[in-house]
Amino acid sequence: MNRYPAWKYLFIAVSILLGLLYTLPNFYGESPAVQISPLRNAAKADTGLLNRVEEALKKAGLPTTGMFLEGGSIKARFTDTDTQIRARDALQSLLGNGYMVALNLLPNSPQWLTSVGALPMYLGLDLRGGVHFLLEVDMKGALSKALDRFGSDIRGSLREKKIPYAGLDKRGSLIIVKFRNAESRAQAEAEIKKNYPDLDLREENVGTEFHLAATLRPEAQKRIQDAAVQQNITTLRNRVNELGVAEPIIQQAGADRVVVQLPGVQDTAKAKDILGRTATLEVRMVDEEHDLSAALRGQIPFGSELYSERGGGPLLVKKQVVLTGDRINDAQPGFDNNNQPAVHLNLDNSGARIFQQLTRDNVGKRMAILLIERNQAEVITAPVIREEIGGGRVQISGRMTSEEARDVALLLRAGALAAPMDIVEERTVGPSLGAENIESGFNSTLYGFAAIAVFMTIYYLVFGFISVLALGVNLLLLVGLLSILQATLTLPGMAAIALTLGMAIDANVLINERIRDELREGMAPQAAINVGYERAWATILDSNITTLIAGIALFAFGSGPIKGFAVVLCLGILTSMFSAVMVSRGFVNLVYGSRRKLERVSIGQVWKPVTNKR
């Protein structure tokens, strides 16, 4: 009746051992660290750089507690923040501007735990410390860039259709196209209406000139502004990955603002630097008319610039930009016809038209494709144009690895912000404040657990002690599950843990009281235990499901701290149902299940009703 089969005991034992294994990393804490990441695709984090960093730290007399290469960056641990800051300064002066040397925090988990995937929970900004930014998107800038694109597209369309016009200007939120006669204006108006439905057109006569004023429709403005915010969020999310931030929070706040929280990042200047990064593509023609050797001696001709081609020598490139990365719809890594790594680009309609015209007019000449990042330009490749290329599909290949092709594609897809952003609020939460929050949350959970343990043991005796053991297993499983899922723990999450403990012990109170009720009715102890667990289960299930529904609603409709609270609450409900019923009954079965003649159980005072005898 009150005996589990062997597989159930084995299942409980394995669950407890796994919970213990994955909870352990959270007790080792974190140590100050320095992270070195390359800022440009030509620079790589490899064993050679690792040896350079190691030698530099030894020469500076800065001992490390561990150094390793991980995820395209080198990370070095230190015993204290003073050594960490001195190491950052030494490495930055050694490596120069080609690498980012940022302050960070790394977990101290031993290698044997890391090797089995046992990692600590991510801690939120309020527990770990870090930086908080509130950025405002320049909506006027987004609309201005959109008008610039429309102006360029209109200019190209009129030239393609051979519609004469006297000029095109941008005045505030208007694009003014000038014509010498009404017939040309009418032709242009029909062409613009057909190809650019987002523009409102208005005819104006200024002196002897015939003007056509174009402005963005209100619905188009809203769509462009919303798209600018979403693209900026995507771009920021890709950029902060370079800081090695675990679970950064990047989300929209209002119509034109974005919240960025970077837990564990101590270097505010580096965080600003990464958030402000730009990366785009430019297509220019190679200057083959002037002497390269003279340019190398410093005699660079007017209208040209001297660059270095990746994996090659110097190259003289014209300043005039023929095509920019703004015209790229998509960029994906792949391979060329020779099975060499390449980047495949898809251009928009205007970009495809410009690129087709460029290749048609310059067959036999060299075209330079430049990647501009952090105001530093590099010629990725400079192929010879063999034939006219149409269709908007462009391939960049030559002297790049598969990893470089992937990085270039990523930068081109989301490397540039859709609109400028300004930091309107900046906060730094120090590690010491985060440690105080962790200590406060830990102590509150500990004291609450101790108070529950004392009450349950006094009131329910052995059954109360078993309930406390089940409650401990519940806490162990919850923390272990959060660690396995790599969830982010915040102060509201710690509040949810405390709430989960109260709800979990409530299930055991229901079970214990149900067993007492059956004992009052005169039922045998073994039968009372069996019936108590079975009849209390329906009530426990109902109460937990209703709370789970509320938790799911909080997760679905909440954000930030509310979502973190909901995650811990929902997981805690699942672990509490397992521990309060299956685990606690397993312990009860171990204590009482093997006794054939059980006279009484230690569950506290069972008050029986007094009957009057006559």
Side-chain angles (χ1 to χ4, degrees):
M1 183 182 292
N2 291 317
R3 294 182 185 178
Y4 271 165
W7 70 267
K8 281 194 175 182
Y9 289 117
L10 181 62
F11 181 72
I12 292 172
V14 170
S15 300
I16 293 174
L17 286 176
L18 287 176
L20 181 62
L21 176 67
Y22 285 95
T23 299
L24 273 178
N26 296 285
F27 293 98
Y28 286 94
E30 294 178 317
S31 58
V34 168
Q35 177 175 309
I36 303 100
S37 305
L39 285 174
R40 303 183 66 190
N41 294 305
K44 290 296 172 186
D46 51 19
T47 53
L49 179 62
L50 182 66
N51 293 332
R52 285 177 62 194
V53 170
E54 194 171 3
E55 290 296 325
L57 293 176
K58 283 182 180 178
K59 185 180 290 187
L62 300 171
T64 67
T65 58
M67 187 183 305
F68 55 95
L69 178 63
E70 181 184 62
S73 63
I74 292 170
K75 299 173 183 177
R77 290 192 184 96
F78 301 92
T79 55
D80 54 71
T81 54
D82 290 338
T83 309
Q84 175 198 30
I85 294 172
R86 287 164 55 202
R88 188 271 311 271
D89 296 339
L91 292 174
Q92 190 68 76
S93 61
L94 169 72
L95 300 174
N97 295 326
Y99 293 86
M100 179 188 68
V101 184
L103 304 179
N104 214 326
L105 295 170
L106 293 178
N108 291 326
S109 304
Q111 183 60 38
W112 68 271
L113 279 174
T114 306
S115 62
V116 297
L119 302 172
M121 283 182 290
Y122 291 139
L123 298 179
L125 194 70
D126 48 5
L127 297 181
R128 195 182 188 198
V131 292
H132 167 100
F133 296 110
L134 180 62
L135 300 101
E136 186 174 52
V137 181
D138 182 4
M139 291 303 189
K140 291 183 179 179
L143 295 176
S144 178
K145 288 182 70 173
L147 283 174
D148 289 339
R149 287 196 300 271
F150 277 115
S152 178
D153 292 347
I154 290 171
R155 190 180 284 112
S157 296
L158 296 180
R159 287 176 181 172
E160 186 177 348
K161 296 297 181 180
K162 297 181 179 179
I163 300 174
Y165 66 100
L168 187 148
D169 296 328
K170 191 180 80 169
R171 299 176 186 171
S173 61
L174 294 175
I175 298 174
I176 307 295
V177 190
K178 304 173 183 177
F179 302 91
R180 291 187 176 89
N181 54 67
E183 292 77 15
S184 298
R185 182 174 67 180
Q187 291 177 356
E189 185 173 1
E191 180 67 19
I192 294 171
K193 280 183 177 179
K194 183 176 72 174
N195 293 325
Y196 308 103
D198 288 337
L199 296 177
D200 273 331
L201 302 178
R202 185 178 71 252
E203 294 182 354
E204 296 177 351
N205 294 331
V206 180
T208 60
E209 290 185 336
F210 298 83
H211 290 185
L212 192 62
T215 183
L216 284 167
R217 296 177 183 271
E219 58 271 21
Q221 293 184 26
K222 186 177 187 308
R223 187 173 65 251
I224 290 169
Q225 291 173 336
D226 292 342
V229 174
Q230 292 305 316
Q231 183 179 334
N232 280 10
I233 289 174
T234 302
T235 302
L236 293 173
R237 188 170 285 114
N238 287 327
R239 290 179 182 179
V240 298
N241 288 337
E242 300 181 25
L243 283 170
V245 180
E247 291 293 304
I249 295 174
I250 303 171
Q251 59 190 18
Q252 187 171 350
D256 60 349
R257 293 190 173 187
V258 178
V259 171
V260 179
Q261 291 184 358
L262 307 176
V265 173
Q266 301 166 270
D267 199 332
T268 308
K270 286 296 179 185
K272 285 182 180 178
D273 187 40
I274 284 292
L275 295 180
R277 282 184 68 178
T278 58
T280 188
L281 189 83
E282 288 185 358
V283 177
R284 307 187 196 178
M285 295 305 299
V286 175
D287 187 351
E288 298 177 293
E289 293 99 20
H290 296 92
D291 186 11
L292 178 61
S293 59
L296 291 173
R297 293 193 299 270
Q299 301 174 7
I300 300 176
F302 179 77
S304 297
E305 292 177 314
L306 189 63
Y307 291 107
S308 294
E309 185 180 3
R310 176 179 293 180
L315 203 64
L316 200 57
V317 180
K318 293 182 179 179
K319 284 185 177 181
Q320 182 183 3
V321 178
V322 183
L323 188 68
T324 66
D326 293 338
R327 300 300 180 185
I328 296 175
N329 281 335
D330 189 26
Q332 296 293 335
F335 296 91
D336 60 14
N337 295 331
N338 298 320
N339 206 30
Q340 296 298 314
V343 178
H344 301 280
L345 308 178
N346 284 334
L347 304 177
D348 61 14
N349 292 333
S350 179
R353 185 174 60 250
I354 295 170
F355 195 77
Q356 185 173 9
Q357 182 70 34
L358 171 70
T359 53
R360 180 193 304 142
D361 297 341
N362 294 280
V363 173
K365 298 180 181 179
R366 294 184 72 188
M367 170 183 65
I369 298 177
L370 291 82
L371 180 69
I372 295 130
E373 187 182 358
R374 294 173 56 82
N375 297 321
Q376 297 180 8
E378 177 188 18
V379 178
I380 301 175
T381 183
V384 177
I385 300 172
R386 302 295 183 189
E387 60 184 1
E388 178 184 334
I389 302 173
R393 296 180 180 274
V394 183
Q395 176 180 282
I396 303 174
S397 62
R399 301 187 182 94
M400 67 173 67
T401 64
S402 297
E403 185 179 352
E404 288 173 339
R406 187 172 62 251
D407 291 343
V408 170
L410 173 64
L411 284 171
L412 294 180
R413 282 199 308 271
L417 294 171
M421 302 184 77
D422 297 319
I423 297 175
V424 296
E425 181 184 340
E426 174 186 335
R427 294 201 307 268
T428 302
V429 180
S432 58
L433 179 58
E436 290 178 7
N437 290 337
I438 292 175
E439 184 180 3
S440 299
F442 179 81
N443 288 338
S444 61
T445 304
L446 177 64
Y447 297 150
F449 186 92
I452 290 172
V454 170
F455 171 79
M456 292 295 292
T457 305
I458 293 174
Y459 196 69
Y460 292 111
L461 302 179
V462 172
F463 272 77
F465 181 72
I466 290 173
S467 300
V468 172
L469 289 179
L471 188 62
V473 171
N474 176 44
L475 185 59
L476 188 71
L477 294 178
L478 176 57
V479 175
L481 192 57
L482 289 170
S483 300
I484 291 173
L485 297 176
Q486 289 290 274
T488 301
L489 183 66
T490 60
L491 271 177
M494 297 194 80
I497 291 177
L499 176 62
T500 299
L501 293 179
M503 292 177 58
I505 204 63
D506 181 60
N508 287 112
V509 169
L510 287 173
I511 293 169
N512 293 343
E513 287 298 330
R514 189 68 194 187
I515 294 173
R516 279 183 168 183
D517 287 342
E518 302 304 331
L519 291 173
R520 282 192 199 99
E521 296 296 327
M523 189 175 289
Q526 290 284 17
I529 293 172
N530 183 60
V531 173
Y533 272 96
E534 288 184 355
R535 293 184 178 176
W537 167 245
T539 305
I540 294 170
L541 184 64
D542 288 346
S543 62
N544 280 282
I545 285 178
T546 53
T547 309
L548 186 63
I549 291 171
I552 292 173
L554 286 174
F555 180 81
F557 301 108
S559 62
I562 295 175
K563 185 168 286 191
F565 176 87
V567 168
V568 179
L569 178 63
C570 292
L571 292 177
I573 290 170
L574 299 178
T575 56
S576 66
M577 290 176 68
F578 171 74
S579 62
V581 179
M582 188 171 182
V583 174
S584 69
R585 185 162 189 184
F587 289 145
V588 170
N589 290 351
L590 284 174
V591 175
Y592 293 110
S594 60
R595 303 183 190 181
R596 292 186 178 180
K597 294 183 178 180
L598 184 62
E599 300 296 333
R600 60 183 301 274
V601 291
S602 179
I603 197 170
Q605 181 66 43
V606 180
W607 300 102
K608 294 184 179 180
V610 178
T611 57
N612 295 324
K613 294 182 180 180
R614 294 185 180 178

